[in-house]
Amino acid sequence: MIQFHPLNAIFGFLVVTMVSLTSVTAACTREGLLAAAESYVAAQTNGKLDGLKLADNFIYQQDNKKTDVKSGVLSQPLKVDLNRSTADTTACASYTMLISSSGSKPYVIGTQIRHNGDDTSSIALIDTIAATTGDLFFNAKQTLGYIQKENWGTIPEGQRPSRDLLKKYGDAYLDMWTDAKAADSIQWGSDCERVEGSRLTKPCGGQLPRGGSLKPNGMRRYVIDETIGSVDVLCQFDSLGNMPDSHEIRVENGKVKYVHTITVQ
Ligand SMILES: *[C@@H]1O[C@H](CO)[C@@H](O)[C@H](O)[C@H]1NC(C)=O
């Protein structure tokens, strides 16, 4: 029999702490995040939730509103032309962009997926911005044409932007409508491209907003992937009138290379 002793208590505490630390660092892997994102793309293709492992506290949010998933776009089958996912192992979240251009109702969708703690084996939140015909600059075929030509490959180690820089650029971009100085706090690549809905601006550092609105863009949710040099921010575009929105930015060599926006109007 083990007698109670303060050292046993301390040892026990250390073991518990070490076990939980180990599971924290081991569980939220890139592979786990991307597998969950893949299961989401498959579910969207089928319009069926069967293949998704949803947590007990699962929430579906579409266009910034909690929605019954059965009435959401995820419950309609879509032929997916393009999908691309990034993974944020720090926040334990992923971002997926998908384009469905050929159906009777085309879509360009940006989705962040979140998990309970670091457990990627089930999905706690599917948070979707789903733009379709009638939304801001919407033309899925044209968007697909631009985005198919882009390179979102892995950035070699040593050349990756820091998490802080990606967060800073994501925020500064969304601050341009309210802060006249925000645009100049970002380094714009000379050959960068901005695809807003289906509208292309090249180089992307031209024609930028410089303040003017008093309402900061709110409800910001981030997925940051240093290996791809990307940040996606889902938000409510309050500066121009409460629009559900996704802004995704890729940074190469410290400068903005691509910007994608999906805006529901
Ligand atoms: C999603 O993208 C991956 C990688 O490009 C591809 O292999 C897969 O077939 C795509 N899924 C769908 C449903 O289009």
Side-chain angles (χ1 to χ4, degrees), residues 236-247:
Q236 180 165 278
F237 222 81
D238 294 307
S239 62
L240 300 178
N242 305 347
M243 295 181 289
D245 175 273
S246 167
H247 268 67

Side-chain angles (χ1 to χ4, degrees), residues 41 79-84 96-101 107 109 143-150 260:
V41 175
K79 185 180 170 298
V80 173
D81 299 304
L82 178 145
N83 77 90
R84 180 177 49 71
T96 299
M97 177 191 210
L98 53 89
I99 302 180
S100 174
S101 70
Y107 277 99
I109 295 174
T143 305
L144 178 65
Y146 293 135
I147 287 179
Q148 268 171 340
K149 294 192 196 111
E150 297 177 349
H260 295 163

Side-chain angles (χ1 to χ4, degrees), residues 32-156:
L33 291 168
L34 293 177
E38 240 169 72
S39 74
Y40 157 77
V41 175
Q44 183 62 82
T45 306
N46 301 323
K48 291 205 178 90
L49 306 178
D50 311 1
L52 289 180
K53 278 197 71 186
L54 303 176
D56 291 342
N57 61 346
F58 171 69
I59 289 174
Y60 180 72
Q61 181 159 285
Q62 186 170 317
D63 299 339
N64 291 346
K65 287 198 193 80
K66 203 171 158 181
T67 304
D68 179 359
V69 64
K70 293 190 200 76
S71 63
V73 67
L74 185 52
S75 299
Q76 304 164 32
L78 295 182
K79 185 180 170 298
V80 173
D81 299 304
L82 178 145
N83 77 90
R84 180 177 49 71
S85 297
T86 52
D88 183 334
T89 50
T90 304
C92 206
S94 62
Y95 172 71
T96 299
M97 177 191 210
L98 53 89
I99 302 180
S100 174
S101 70
S102 60
S104 57
K105 205 166 180 199
Y107 277 99
V108 177
I109 295 174
T111 295
Q112 293 184 354
I113 293 175
R114 285 177 202 277
H115 304 274
N116 286 319
D118 290 310
D119 177 11
T120 55
S121 70
S122 72
I123 293 173
L125 173 66
I126 294 182
D127 190 357
T128 286
I129 306 290
T132 188
T133 311
D135 287 323
L136 194 69
F137 312 133
F138 187 84
N139 182 327
K141 281 205 158 54
Q142 216 167 321
T143 305
L144 178 65
Y146 293 135
I147 287 179
Q148 268 171 340
K149 294 192 196 111
E150 297 177 349
N151 174 13
W152 284 72
T154 307
I155 295 182

Side-chain angles (χ1 to χ4, degrees), residues 152-208:
W152 284 72
T154 307
I155 295 182
E157 255 175 275
Q159 296 172 31
R160 294 176 183 166
S162 69
R163 189 173 181 84
D164 283 352
L165 183 91
L166 291 166
K167 168 87 167 34
K168 190 177 142 238
Y169 277 11
D171 277 329
Y173 201 99
L174 290 174
D175 290 341
M176 289 193 295
W177 284 263
T178 45
D179 175 358
K181 296 199 183 104
D184 293 330
S185 72
I186 296 172
Q187 290 203 45
W188 306 95
S190 54
D191 61 346
C192 69
E193 288 183 13
R194 203 159 94 213
V195 181
E196 289 161 303
S198 62
R199 207 175 64 168
L200 180 72
T201 305
K202 199 174 172 177
C204 71
Q207 304 156 39
L208 296 168

